[in-house]
Amino acid sequence: MLKTERKAEQKVIEFQEVLDQTDTVLIGAGAGLSTAAGFAYGGEPFRRYFADFDEKYGFHDMYSGGFYPFPTLEEHWAYWSRFVFLNRYCDPPKPVYKNLLELVKDKDYFVLTTNVDHCFQKAGFDKHRLFYTQGDYGLWQCSKPCHNKTYDNGDIIRQMVEAQGFQVTGQGMELPTGTVSKMAVPTELVPHCPKCGAPMAMNLRADHTFVQDEGWYIAAGRYDDFVRRHKNTPVLYLELGVGMNTPGIIKYNFWRQVYQNPKANYICINKGQSYAPREIANRSICLDMDAAQVLIG
Ligand SMILES: [Zn+2]
């Protein structure tokens, strides 16, 4: 075994020891955790479900098409419904989230996440212990927005996908052999705001129009309570797959809280971006690994 491998293995053991000794865990999760769970915006899944969009527009991954100004709402929702169905309503291929739940389910835990794919709920995490700060692929809002409410999109997303020729199976969608997918949804499925009639939009924090609904404020309050209750107690801050896109929400926030609480420990699991500032280094374990390596083995 190489020296670096031995060192990584040792750190995983240290992580498990710290976890065993701590009854309170604050999880911070970013996009890297869902990547580790096998969700991929490019590659085979993209070619399989978006070949027609690739051919027409030259997109090579699901993300690039997400903000493209399609000429019609029918086409816009054809694209987004496939995207949402795959990333919000299907389970991730690997049991990263389920294994994470096994580690913390008997502890006092809370999850702060910038992910919008619902993976924590799908894996069985208690929804009262979750704060999704950036929205949810499963919700729509008024595009203006004229009011602060969000709407579940599950039923209509499924109908949109089926209307394009896909067959929805228990755990995914398939294009039956010989079927050519339609790149538009029927006009009657295009969603409009029930109050002002403007087109609906995804409930994602992309700009100032993002709606923070009642559920968002309730979750924010629960997160604040959790932090307040534990600010002088031993807490493990467990950061998973958080990159540098929006470091203020989880990463810098965790560093500051760990610094202010001498009984807290910080663990960062992220391939290629695992780091802790010097001030908290003696209470930190940084694992330069994919979360799947640590949580699945
Ligand atoms: Zn409206």
Side-chain angles (χ1 to χ4, degrees):
M1 190 187 286
L2 294 168
K3 200 174 164 194
T4 48
E5 285 174 2
R6 254 202 317 274
K7 209 172 153 198
E9 206 170 71
Q10 181 58 34
K11 281 188 174 181
V12 173
I13 293 168
E14 284 172 27
F15 155 61
Q16 280 158 350
E17 283 170 1
V18 174
L19 186 64
D20 287 346
Q21 289 159 11
T22 318
D23 294 326
T24 309
V25 181
L26 182 54
I27 293 170
L33 190 61
S34 287
T35 309
F39 270 148
Y41 285 130
E44 199 275 328
F46 180 76
R47 286 193 296 277
R48 190 150 150 216
Y49 300 111
F50 292 89
D52 45 359
F53 281 95
D54 187 356
E55 196 174 317
K56 184 167 175 189
Y57 293 104
F59 306 145
H60 296 306
D61 62 76
M62 288 184 221
Y63 198 76
S64 7
F67 296 95
Y68 188 82
F70 290 105
T72 65
L73 287 169
E74 285 80 359
E75 199 173 348
H76 170 89
W77 287 113
Y79 190 88
W80 270 100
S81 59
R82 296 185 205 176
F83 184 111
V84 169
F85 186 77
L86 294 167
N87 292 291
R88 166 64 168 76
Y89 293 105
C90 300
D91 284 337
K94 296 185 207 163
V96 163
Y97 284 89
K98 286 197 164 78
N99 292 4
L100 179 61
L101 178 60
E102 284 305 307
L103 295 180
V104 300
K105 67 174 194 226
D106 299 323
K107 299 180 188 288
D108 188 7
Y109 72 83
F110 199 92
V111 176
L112 176 67
T113 184
T114 50
N115 293 351
V116 293
D117 55 17
H118 214 67
C119 281
F120 283 99
Q121 286 100 318
K122 282 184 284 190
F125 280 78
D126 177 357
K127 68 175 184 185
H128 301 108
R129 293 174 178 273
L130 298 175
F131 180 24
Y132 274 72
T133 65
Q134 309 298 82
D136 182 337
Y137 285 145
L139 298 174
W140 283 333
Q141 60 164 77
C142 172
S143 58
K144 282 187 171 173
C146 73
H147 67 298
N148 286 342
K149 210 178 147 201
T150 57
Y151 297 84
D152 285 332
N153 62 24
D155 289 343
I156 300 177
I157 288 290
R158 176 184 280 248
Q159 289 174 42
M160 286 176 168
V161 163
E162 287 175 339
Q164 293 170 72
F166 290 94
Q167 233 164 37
V168 170
T169 59
Q171 204 28 254
M173 64 186 208
E174 291 302 330
L175 202 58
T177 319
T179 307
V180 178
S181 48
K182 294 190 184 77
M183 291 173 74
V185 302
T187 303
E188 60 269 24
L189 289 183
V190 171
H192 292 276
C193 172
K195 293 207 195 294
C196 76
M200 289 294 238
M202 297 297 300
N203 180 229
L204 299 173
R205 191 189 299 278
D207 56 35
H208 65 282
T209 62
F210 176 64
V211 164
Q212 296 175 177
D213 65 3
E214 198 187 353
W216 190 97
Y217 285 103
I218 292 171
R222 289 191 181 120
Y223 167 72
D224 287 342
D225 280 348
F226 185 91
V227 169
R228 203 175 312 118
R229 269 191 292 126
H230 296 295
K231 74 177 179 205
N232 295 311
T233 68
V235 182
L236 173 59
Y237 286 77
L238 178 55
E239 185 193 299
L240 300 152
V242 175
M244 290 307 277
N245 276 340
T246 49
I249 299 172
I250 297 169
K251 192 180 281 289
Y252 297 164
N253 182 18
F254 275 23
W255 287 354
R256 194 187 66 250
Q257 291 186 37
V258 173
Y259 176 69
Q260 288 167 348
N261 176 0
K263 292 178 187 156
N265 289 298
Y266 172 68
I267 291 178
C268 176
I269 302 177
N270 199 3
K271 182 82 184 156
Q273 291 187 58
S274 192
Y275 167 80
R278 194 177 27 145
E279 290 82 353
I280 59 167
N282 61 345
R283 291 184 280 127
S284 301
I285 300 172
C286 297
L287 290 162
D288 183 11
M289 299 168 88
D290 186 302
Q293 282 175 274
V294 181
L295 296 168
I296 299 175

